[in-house]
Amino acid sequence: MEKTLVLIKPDAFGKNHAGDILKIYEDAGFKIIAAKVMRMTAELAAKHYVEHIGRPYYPALVEFMTSAPIMALVLSGDDVIKKVRELNGATNPAEAAEGTVRKLYAADKTKNAVHASDSEASAAREIPIFFSACEIFD
């Protein structure tokens, strides 16, 4: 089964939308094989967002992601990476399709409710940043 990392970001988690978002993923047939509530540190953000270091928006991104708890998940299922990104919708909620996570729960392009891996390579890199092998139940 394919796996993907999902982060329910501080904005959506803080507004108690985690359960609503999890239901969208489960209703789509995906299995939650790892989950934890945590606070992202600046060091963890640097590992996760390594490709963004040095870009003008990076400090604000780290400030947002470390501002409050997040929920990290690993989901599994057929074509889960592509399908979860479709369920999440466009990064900018104003452009997201009706019924998508971001249309329902995101405030703007920065506070956009969720992150999901964009490829198998990204998932393989991102999952171990947040979970050890013994924390994943597949």
Side-chain angles (χ1 to χ4, degrees):
M1 275 299 155
E2 188 175 80
K3 297 176 193 165
T4 192
L5 176 79
V6 172
L7 301 177
I8 300 177
K9 294 181 178 183
D11 56 324
F13 189 79
K15 291 180 181 174
N16 297 319
H17 293 305
D20 302 317
I21 294 168
L22 292 174
K23 183 165 177 32
I24 290 169
Y25 299 144
E26 288 185 318
D27 285 352
F30 300 118
K31 185 176 178 184
I32 300 167
I33 60 171
K36 68 169 90 170
V37 175
M38 60 188 294
R39 185 178 292 262
M40 185 178 281
T41 63
E43 296 78 18
L44 191 62
K47 288 180 186 175
H48 181 65
Y49 292 113
V50 66
E51 68 274 13
H52 301 288
I53 294 173
R55 295 190 181 161
Y57 57 83
Y58 181 74
L61 173 64
V62 173
E63 183 178 343
F64 168 59
M65 291 301 294
T66 60
S67 67
I70 64 168
M71 179 176 250
L73 312 163
V74 179
L75 302 178
S76 70
D78 291 330
D79 207 17
V80 70
I81 294 169
K82 178 183 174 206
K83 290 177 181 174
V84 164
R85 291 181 64 80
E86 290 170 357
L87 289 170
N88 287 348
T91 302
N92 183 345
E95 299 169 2
E98 291 298 324
T100 61
V101 171
R102 290 186 173 126
K103 190 64 156 187
L104 293 167
Y105 305 115
D108 57 43
K109 192 173 178 179
T110 301
K111 295 179 179 173
N112 63 3
V114 289
H115 161 85
S117 303
D118 63 5
S119 67
E120 287 186 40
S122 291
R125 182 187 72 79
E126 293 173 348
I127 291 169
I129 293 171
F130 294 90
F131 296 95
S132 65
C134 68
E135 294 175 307
I136 300 171
F137 298 93
D138 59 346

